[in-house]
Each structure stands twice: as C-alpha cells, then as structure tokens.
C-alpha cells in the first residue's frame, strides 16, 4: 500500500510518501517561519496563500525524486483538522481533486492523531497502549492511547499551550519567532534555579495545565532585569515548564499499568524535556519513545502513517473522538 500524506494545518506545507513495505519513503516540509518572523506569529491569510503557492511544487518534487507517479498511489491521507481553516482547505482541495480525478481512495486525518502516532513511523513495533504527552504550539495534552483510534484526554491546558508559552517568552526576551528553540538554546547558558517561577496547578493532583501565569511572571521579573540576565530567565522558565509536565505525567503514569510513554509535538524536540522524561521513564520503569526531531514538528509523514494505520486496521473514517472523561484526579472539571 502506497500512501500519499498531505499536511497543511498551520504554517508548514508537508507532503509524504509512506508504504507498508518500506515505511517512510520520503517527506518534505516547507516551513513558513521566515514569512512570520516580522509579525512574531502566524497570519492565517498569509499562511493559506503560501500553502496554495507551494503545495503542488512540493508534491511534484516528492513524486519526481522518488520515481513515483500519481497512478501508483493507493491512498491519500490529508489533515482534515484541527487547524487554520484557510490552510486546511488548501490541503483538502488538493487531496480531494487528486482523489476525484484519479479515482484514489481518500482518508481524512485528525492532526493530533498524526502527532500521537508519529513515534511509530520510525519504530514500527511501537503500538498502543501507551500514555502520550502531546506538546506543541497549539496543544498541551496528556492522552491515554488505549488502542489505535481510542484516545482519551486525561489532562490539557486551560489557557496557553506549552509551545505558545515558549514563543511568548521568546518574544519577551527579544528572540526571533518561533521562540521555543531559541529559548531552549539560551537556557543552556543560564542558571535554572535563579528565578522560582510559578508551577501552576501542582498543589493538588490534577492533570490540567496553565501556562499563562508563568508568562506573566516572566514579564514582571524582566522589569527589574537587563539583557545579561536573560539566559537565567530562559533557563528558569524552561525548568518551570518542564517540572510541571513531568509532575503531571508522573501522576498520570500512576493511574494505569503503563509500559510505554511517548512524547510528540514541536516541544518534544526540547533537549532538556527529553532528559527529564528519560529520567522519569527510568524511575517509573516505562519505555519512552520520541519521534526524530524532524518528525516532532508538523509534517506529512505522520499524516500518511496515520492514514496507513487507519486503513490497515479498518478503522472508521475520522471517528477520532478525543473524549474527555470525568477524570477522578481532575479538580477543574469534576
Ligand atoms: O507541532 P508544532 O510544529 O506545531 C503545532 O502543531 O503547534 O510545534 C511548534 C511549537 C512552537 O511553539 C515552537 O516554539 C515549539 O514547538 N518548539 C520548541 C522547541 N522546538 C520547537 N519549544 C521548546 N523547545 C524546543 N526545542
Ligand atoms: Zn502539530
């Protein structure tokens, strides 16, 4: 089975080819980061136009470089949501047009399912059940993955996403958008214990997150500091975020006999987070898995792979219900 993957939910245009025999054949991503540096964030209208300008070129490049023709494709998997509507429509239109003209089966994919399954692309023996920490620019969730297509959100952010907090703090520290990788880089030379930034919602056992107060605490702290203190601020901020992520994950791991933990999404590229998660995994005797760095951020490989999984497991199309059970540890939603 040869699957064409298409991703265009936010500011990355991705095209991928995945086959059941070979695995990931190729994937290419055009990031729009350079377009948004001057604005410090994504402008949906510009993102949609750029997807529209680039997507066919990327598709042709992937096909040509791998000696594949459209007629050889058995399944088209595209990101149906969630995301920016204008951006999503570009990928969906390309997917549906090829499907209609060439009579190829098409399967809509939930973007978060792509992230949840991403560690399996390069590690084909990795299968649910597992616990997933999904940390990206738009999401921060702890998800119980009981089986393919069966996901329950155990906890999530009630305000900013984790990557969003990194990006906002990056802006406060005058770093280029997106701030996440730059804050992480700056943190390497800083003292993470200098500032005791708040660890929200950790007083009681509860699996939800809140990062907006942390960003405000950084803002107030900066009023009394100058640029030579910024590395310490970055390190202390990063430590506060990671402390909370690790604490909540350790609580989540206690709720079931998990053997595997995965971490995906853009922030899963963070080195310090990986170090701390590796320690947590060692202490709690679970195996931890991450996608390779390039598959942490948005890409079409994870969409193609999710399409392959859904088709081969005969899962109903787009039945991914991210259910939110009444979580016994959760105070906020009880
Ligand atoms: O998964 P992703 O590409 O897009 C969304 O679906 O949101 O994640 C992008 C996010 C951005 O907020 C970016 O700053 C963050 O991931 N990020 C990082 C690192 N690399 C990317 N955050 C912290 N440390 C990193 N090394
Ligand atoms: Zn994403």
């Amino acid at each position: 089975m040869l699957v064409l993957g298409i991703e265009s939910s936010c500011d990355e245009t991705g095209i991928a080819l995945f086959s059941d025999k070979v695995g990931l054949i190729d994937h290419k991503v055009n990031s729009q980061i350079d377009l948004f540096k001057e604005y410090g964030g994504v402008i949906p209208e510009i993102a949609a136009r750029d997807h529209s300008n680039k997507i066919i070129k990327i598709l042709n490049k992937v096909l040509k470089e791998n000696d594949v023709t459209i007629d050889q494709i058995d399944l088209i998997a595209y990101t149906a949501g969630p995301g920016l509507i204008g951006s999503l429509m570009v990928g969906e239109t390309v997917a549906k047009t090829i499907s209609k003209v060439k009579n190829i089966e098409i399967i809509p994919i939930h973007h978060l399912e792509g992230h949840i399954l991403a560690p399996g692309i390069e590690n084909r023996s990795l299968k649910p059940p597992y616990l997933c920490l999904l940390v990206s620019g738009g999401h921060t969730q702890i998800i119980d993955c009981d089986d393919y297509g069966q996901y329950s959100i155990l906890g999530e952010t009630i305000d900013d996403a984790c990557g969003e907090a990194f990006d906002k703090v990056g802006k406060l520290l005058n770093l280029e958008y997106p701030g996440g990788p730059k804050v992480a880089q700056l943190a390497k030379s800083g003292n993470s214990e200098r500032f005791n930034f708040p660890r929200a919602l950790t007083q009681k056992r509860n699996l939800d997150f809140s990062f907006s107060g942390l960003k405000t605490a950084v803002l107030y702290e900066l009023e009394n500091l100058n640029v030579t203190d910024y590395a310490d601020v970055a390190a202390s901020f990063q430590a506060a975020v990671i402390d909370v992520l690790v604490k909540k994950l350790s609580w989540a791991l206690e709720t079931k006999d998990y053997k595997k933990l995965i971490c995906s999404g853009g922030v899963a590229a963070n080195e310090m987070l990986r170090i701390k998660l590796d320690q947590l995994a060692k202490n709690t005797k679970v195996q931890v898995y991450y996608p390779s760095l390039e598959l942490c951020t948005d890409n079409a490989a994870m969409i193609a792979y999710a399409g392959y999984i859904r088709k081969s497991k005969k899962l109903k199309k787009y039945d991914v219900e991210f259910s939110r059970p009444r979580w016994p540890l959760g105070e906020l939603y009880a």
Side-chain angles (χ1 to χ4, degrees):
M1 189 200 316
L2 181 61
V3 188
L4 172 70
I6 300 178
E7 155 65 33
S8 70
S9 65
C10 187
D11 58 346
E12 267 103 13
T13 319
I15 297 287
L17 287 171
F18 181 93
S19 94
D20 51 351
K21 291 200 182 71
V22 184
L24 182 62
I25 297 170
D26 193 12
H27 86 108
K28 296 200 189 303
V29 178
N30 177 69
S31 168
Q32 301 174 347
I33 280 176
D34 285 343
L35 285 180
F36 299 123
K37 274 186 179 151
E38 66 174 295
Y39 305 105
V42 178
I43 314 279
E45 171 76 22
I46 298 176
R49 283 176 191 272
D50 196 62
H51 284 304
S52 169
N53 285 336
K54 307 267 168 65
I55 196 162
I56 298 297
K57 286 179 200 144
I58 303 170
L59 171 66
N60 285 337
K61 198 160 186 242
V62 170
L63 293 175
K64 195 167 169 218
E65 284 183 12
N66 294 284
D67 260 334
V68 169
T69 64
I70 290 275
D71 296 300
Q72 289 171 278
I73 291 166
D74 303 300
L75 179 71
I76 301 170
Y78 72 97
T79 304
L84 302 172
I85 189 65
S87 293
L88 288 166
M89 278 172 63
V90 175
E92 175 163 341
T93 305
V94 169
K96 286 188 171 165
T97 306
I98 300 173
S99 161
K100 194 88 185 155
V101 172
K102 293 288 183 178
N103 199 20
I104 300 170
E105 188 179 349
I106 187 167
I107 186 163
I109 297 295
H110 194 296
H111 181 78
L112 299 186
E113 184 171 45
H115 280 303
I116 289 172
L117 300 181
I121 300 172
E122 297 144 307
N123 189 340
R124 299 276 297 276
S125 60
L126 172 62
K127 295 178 169 65
Y130 49 66
L131 185 69
C132 168
L133 173 67
L134 173 55
V135 271
S136 72
H139 293 87
T140 304
Q141 295 176 326
I142 298 179
I143 303 163
D144 171 75
C145 309
D146 201 35
D147 200 350
Y148 291 118
Q150 288 182 25
Y151 315 115
S152 308
I153 298 170
L154 305 183
E156 62 188 332
T157 182
I158 59 167
D159 41 54
D160 291 350
C162 181
E164 190 181 357
F166 267 95
D167 294 341
K168 286 180 175 170
V169 167
K171 217 180 222 178
L172 296 175
L173 298 176
N174 299 325
L175 299 170
E176 238 177 26
Y177 172 83
K182 312 266 169 18
V183 170
Q185 184 60 33
L186 184 61
K188 282 186 183 165
S189 57
N191 172 4
S192 63
E193 289 172 12
R194 176 159 167 208
F195 303 104
N196 187 22
F197 289 126
R199 272 78 167 153
L201 307 182
T202 53
Q203 301 308 314
K204 291 183 189 155
R205 281 197 169 224
N206 152 346
L207 297 181
D208 288 316
F209 302 93
S210 166
F211 293 112
S212 68
L214 175 56
K215 166 202 67 198
T216 311
V218 170
L219 176 69
Y220 288 144
E221 196 67 58
L222 286 174
E223 283 175 6
N224 311 311
L225 302 173
N226 59 50
V227 72
T228 54
D229 302 302
Y230 283 14
D232 292 345
V233 172
S236 303
F237 159 77
Q238 180 175 265
V241 171
I242 294 175
D243 262 9
V244 175
L245 294 175
V246 171
K247 180 166 255 179
K248 306 256 163 176
L249 267 183
S250 73
W251 286 339
L253 284 169
E254 285 171 15
T255 62
K256 216 167 156 177
D257 186 23
Y258 289 107
K259 302 274 188 292
K260 287 168 273 183
L261 168 67
I262 68 145
C263 178
S264 64
V267 186
N270 186 286
E271 256 177 70
M272 188 53 79
L273 176 61
R274 289 188 177 211
I275 291 171
K276 298 290 180 186
L277 291 183
D278 288 348
Q279 280 170 6
L280 172 71
K282 206 168 160 209
N283 296 340
T284 53
K285 298 193 170 46
V286 298
Q287 274 293 115
V288 64
Y289 300 87
Y290 313 95
S292 61
L293 293 183
E294 64 176 284
L295 297 182
C296 284
T297 44
D298 288 350
N299 64 82
M302 66 187 194
I303 303 303
Y305 181 63
Y308 156 72
I309 292 286
R310 295 213 134 240
K311 172 77 182 159
S312 56
K313 305 285 171 203
K314 299 190 173 57
L315 296 180
K316 273 187 278 161
K317 284 187 188 174
Y318 208 40
D319 61 348
V320 187
E321 281 296 332
F322 283 83
S323 62
R324 169 95 209 197
R326 280 191 178 271
W327 183 243
L329 300 179
E331 299 281 316
L332 288 164
Y333 295 85

